[in-house]
Amino acid sequence: MREQSKIFLLLVAVLAIVIGYAIVPGEVSFGKFSLKKINLTQLQKADNNDSTALAKRKEKKLYRRNQTFLFIGDSMVEGLSRRLGDYAKENGHKLYTVIWYGSTTEKWANSQTIEHFIKKYKPTYILLCLGSNELFINDLDAREANIKAIVAKLGNYPYVWISPASWNGDTGIINLMKKHTKQGCFFDSRGLKLKRGPDHYHPTWKAAALWLNKVAAFMGSSKAAYPVVLNTPQHHHKATNTKLLQPSFKGF
């Protein structure tokens, strides 16, 4: 009976301490020691602050400087690279361009051409624009395999795949590019209204420059997986380091 009384008195004492803590001011002193109250709102606020700080750390990305760009692809690269040369020169980057006229994902996937130019130019960042010659194909399974093979060739390099700026839709190849590229590594050019040249397919030089401006804005934003410094150039710079491959080229 005596033990039960002791337990009861102990519970009463604990309850009294809890109630007293709830009604006393924010801080209670015991000689040299003090006890500061922390309410639920403060705990929630602290938790929210920690969550916000963590989110900001995750959002923060390294904006890359002094890159060596390798820009490869089909004939659409010709107009785009002219403008990228302006950005590269004024932002401290170096640009190597490889234009394989009439090329397709099949040609790039089934040759060692990408590996050859990676070894030759030692890029730190790769751009490619492919698919304009395959917008209306029907063998999507084969093209999907090609796209996956090309992405595999890029390895761990930072990259951006620029989709064709389709002029009359496509049969699905652009969706496959978007599907198999890493998030933040695909620029979807669909929907861009570009003035075309005499062949009605290739953009004019001015339109190609506007197209690349959109790409550069994406690459210089936090939307890109590998953002890079690409401030708007104030001058035009003559393109250099350009390699031209003819349609008859079989690949390395």
Side-chain angles (χ1 to χ4, degrees):
M1 190 70 178
R2 183 176 297 176
E3 292 297 326
Q4 292 178 344
S5 299
K6 286 182 179 179
I7 294 173
F8 176 75
L9 290 174
L10 181 60
L11 292 174
V12 170
V14 172
L15 181 61
I17 292 172
V18 172
I19 295 174
Y21 182 75
I23 63 175
V24 295
E27 186 171 323
V28 182
S29 298
F30 302 97
K32 294 182 179 180
F33 303 97
S34 63
L35 179 63
K36 187 174 182 180
K37 290 177 63 176
I38 300 176
N39 58 38
L40 181 60
T41 302
Q42 289 174 311
L43 288 173
Q44 291 175 333
K45 185 176 180 181
D47 183 60
N48 289 337
N49 288 340
D50 289 343
S51 298
T52 301
L54 179 61
K56 287 182 178 179
R57 286 197 296 272
K58 287 182 177 180
E59 290 175 1
K60 187 177 180 180
K61 294 182 177 180
L62 176 65
Y63 282 75
R64 297 160 186 263
R65 298 177 180 272
N66 306 116
Q67 298 295 294
T68 298
F69 292 126
L70 172 59
F71 193 6
I72 62 175
D74 55 34
S75 57
M76 293 295 173
V77 172
E78 186 170 10
L80 292 171
S81 64
R82 287 164 59 98
R83 183 57 172 164
L84 183 58
D86 297 341
Y87 279 91
K89 183 69 174 180
E90 292 209 15
N91 286 277
H93 308 300
K94 192 168 186 176
L95 172 62
Y96 292 97
T97 302
V98 180
I99 306 168
W100 191 351
Y101 294 109
S103 64
T104 61
T105 57
E106 180 181 17
K107 290 185 176 182
W108 288 94
N110 296 322
S111 69
Q112 297 296 306
T113 307
I114 293 176
E115 293 91 334
H116 172 84
F117 286 110
I118 286 177
K119 183 177 181 180
K120 181 176 181 178
Y121 296 130
K122 298 177 174 58
T124 58
Y125 204 116
I126 299 174
L127 296 93
L128 60 162
C129 185
L130 284 170
S132 292
N133 297 312
E134 302 163 89
L135 291 174
F136 309 112
I137 51 83
N138 294 315
D139 58 336
L140 288 175
D141 290 342
R143 308 299 166 154
E144 184 172 22
N146 295 337
I147 292 167
K148 292 167 68 175
I150 290 170
V151 171
K153 288 173 182 288
L154 302 179
N156 294 321
Y157 284 95
Y159 74 93
V160 170
W161 189 315
I162 305 168
S163 87
S166 53
W167 50 90
N168 191 28
D170 71 292
T171 56
I173 193 170
I174 296 178
N175 283 337
L176 292 178
M177 295 174 185
K178 186 174 183 179
K179 175 182 177 182
H180 292 291
T181 49
K182 181 178 177 180
Q183 184 175 358
C185 292
F186 180 75
F187 181 81
D188 196 335
S189 305
R190 290 176 293 188
L192 295 181
K193 304 298 182 182
L194 302 175
K195 186 176 181 180
R196 308 284 171 167
D199 65 359
H200 306 297
Y201 303 129
H202 293 83
T204 62
W205 294 134
K206 184 176 181 180
L210 294 175
W211 182 5
L212 196 280
N213 287 346
K214 297 288 187 181
V215 176
F218 166 75
M219 292 176 62
S221 75
S222 59
K223 293 180 180 179
Y226 307 102
V228 61
V229 176
L230 284 177
N231 297 318
T232 304
Q234 302 302 314
H235 305 91
H236 174 66
H237 302 276
K238 185 178 179 179
T240 58
N241 304 315
T242 299
K243 179 72 174 178
L244 304 180
L245 303 174
Q246 298 306 314
S248 58
F249 177 67
K250 301 300 181 181
F252 290 104

